[in-house]
Amino acid sequence: MIKVTAVQLVGQDDRGTNYLWDCTRTGEFMLCYRHAGSSSGQHYHTGISDNKNPEIMFLLTGKALIHWCPVEGDEIQTTEVVAPARVEVPVNIWHQLIAVTDCCFIELNSMDDVQKDSVRVWRTDFEKMIVEK
C-alpha cells in the first residue's frame, strides 16, 4: 500500500550527484534528522489535511524501515527504504519509520498538518499484528 520510488539521478561527477523530483505542493515543509534506532510515526492520517493525502516524504540520507498496516488490517508489513527515495503513505495506513542508520528526510507538510491530521496508535496496540519476515 505504501509507495517507494527512486529519486531521478540527473547528474554525477567528481563533486557528487544531482537528483530531480517534481513537487506540486507549496508552503512549509519539515526537515527531520533521526538517529539510528529511533522511531517516528505510529499514527495514520484521515485526509483532513490535503498535505497528508497522501503523506509524501523524501528520504535524503540513510536507510529506514517503514512498518505499515491498513487501519482495518491485521498484519504489519515492513518496507525497507534506502536514500534517496520518495515515500507515499495513503490515508488510513498506520505507519512507523525506524531509522536503521542515522538519516535525514523531508516531509512535504507543515507541523500544523501533522497536528490536525494524525491519529496516534501506539505500537502496543498493534503488537498482535507484527509478523516476523
Side-chain angles (χ1 to χ4, degrees):
M1 289 272 212
I2 69 169
K3 181 179 178 183
V4 177
T5 54
V7 178
Q8 181 184 1
L9 177 66
V10 294
Q12 183 173 5
D13 61 25
D14 58 341
R15 298 170 296 168
T17 55
N18 295 330
Y19 294 87
L20 182 67
W21 73 80
D22 182 43
C23 179
T24 58
R25 293 183 177 178
T26 61
E28 292 183 335
F29 298 148
M30 296 173 54
L31 175 62
C32 306
Y33 292 90
R34 294 295 180 264
H35 298 295
S38 67
S39 168
S40 296
Q42 295 198 18
H43 61 245
Y44 65 92
H45 309 289
T46 61
I48 293 170
S49 169
D50 288 341
N51 287 339
K52 288 292 190 180
N53 187 13
E55 178 174 32
I56 297 173
M57 71 179 89
F58 287 90
L59 184 64
L60 303 176
T61 63
K63 180 171 28 173
L65 298 176
I66 309 268
H67 298 303
W68 61 274
C69 179
V71 171
E72 300 298 325
D74 60 1
E75 183 178 318
I76 291 179
Q77 304 292 318
T78 300
T79 301
E80 183 179 83
V81 183
V82 178
R86 181 180 194 268
V87 178
E88 272 188 49
V89 182
V91 297
N92 295 315
I93 300 292
W94 175 87
H95 54 284
Q96 172 186 30
L97 180 142
I98 304 291
V100 175
T101 65
D102 287 352
C103 61
C104 176
F105 59 92
I106 293 175
E107 285 192 24
L108 299 186
N109 52 256
S110 67
M111 185 57 77
D112 184 55
D113 293 322
V114 171
Q115 291 172 345
K116 74 179 179 184
D117 192 6
S118 292
V119 179
R120 297 260 176 227
V121 179
W122 301 109
R123 185 175 180 157
T124 55
D125 296 340
F126 278 89
E127 283 184 350
K128 68 183 183 309
M129 297 184 213
I130 293 176
V131 175
E132 294 295 324
K133 294 193 179 201

